[in-house]
Amino acid sequence: MLIDLSAILRGEIRELPIDGEVFPDAAPDGIEYLPGARISGVVSGSAGLVTLTSRVTVPYRGECARCLDPVETVLEFDFDRTIVTEGTVSDDVLEEKADEYLVVKRGILEPDEAIIESIYLELPSRLLCSPDCRGLCPKCGKKMIGDECGCAPREIDPRWSKLKALLDEDDE
Ligand SMILES: [Zn+2]
Ligand SMILES: [Zn+2]
């Protein structure tokens, strides 16, 4: 995505709405990006300060860390940056504060790389089909959400239930 900011940098306009498609490439293991990732927001300029305020939405698919059911969901996060012209902020600072600045080169902003990096960082490390998902019952193999599946109540750490289910299968 190329965004022409020359008018805003010259102070001719104060706001420029942004809405475009994003194409995240390498997904972490177990994650598949679905089509339709977008960034939408606005670039605002006033008194020499140019900022991008936006929201990134990324539909994706993965599996529940507890019950292994497929999960389709949408990652959403704020993507806000101060826009600086090339050469005004040192490379060291840019590298250190990659989540604060975006560099505009010859009036053109190309935010894709920074957005894609943010998507990677914002993805949850554990995806759950429901916050209440407790994995599979080690006795009957049914998914347990909230209350027990109907088997005798017992306290089982959900992290172990999948493994226990596998072991129980082996016993039979
Ligand atoms: Zn689940
Ligand atoms: Zn059960």
Side-chain angles (χ1 to χ4, degrees), residues 64 67 129 133:
C64 175
C67 70
C129 63
C133 178

Side-chain angles (χ1 to χ4, degrees), residues 3-13 16 43 50 85 104-109:
I3 305 163
D4 186 351
L5 294 185
S6 44
I8 216 159
L9 291 171
R10 284 195 300 262
E12 291 165 14
I13 57 170
L16 184 71
V43 177
V50 180
T85 47
V104 57
K105 292 176 181 170
R106 291 184 205 87
I108 304 292
L109 186 69

Side-chain angles (χ1 to χ4, degrees), residues 41-98:
V42 65
V43 177
S44 318
S46 85
L49 180 68
V50 180
T51 53
L52 166 67
T53 309
S54 67
R55 190 122 179 115
V56 173
T57 49
V58 185
Y60 70 99
R61 181 165 35 213
E63 67 182 19
C64 175
R66 290 184 186 151
C67 70
L68 304 182
D69 268 5
V71 181
E72 279 191 18
T73 184
V74 179
L75 172 71
E76 276 191 65
F77 61 93
D78 291 328
F79 186 78
D80 301 335
R81 296 289 186 277
T82 299
I83 313 273
V84 292
T85 47
E86 205 177 0
T88 53
V89 176
S90 75
D91 288 347
D92 288 350
V93 173
L94 286 179
E95 205 167 304
E96 204 175 301
K97 303 196 168 180

Side-chain angles (χ1 to χ4, degrees), residues 136-142 144 148-152:
L136 302 179
C137 170
K139 274 191 136 180
C140 69
K142 277 191 203 146
M144 299 191 292
E148 296 289 333
C149 51
C151 297

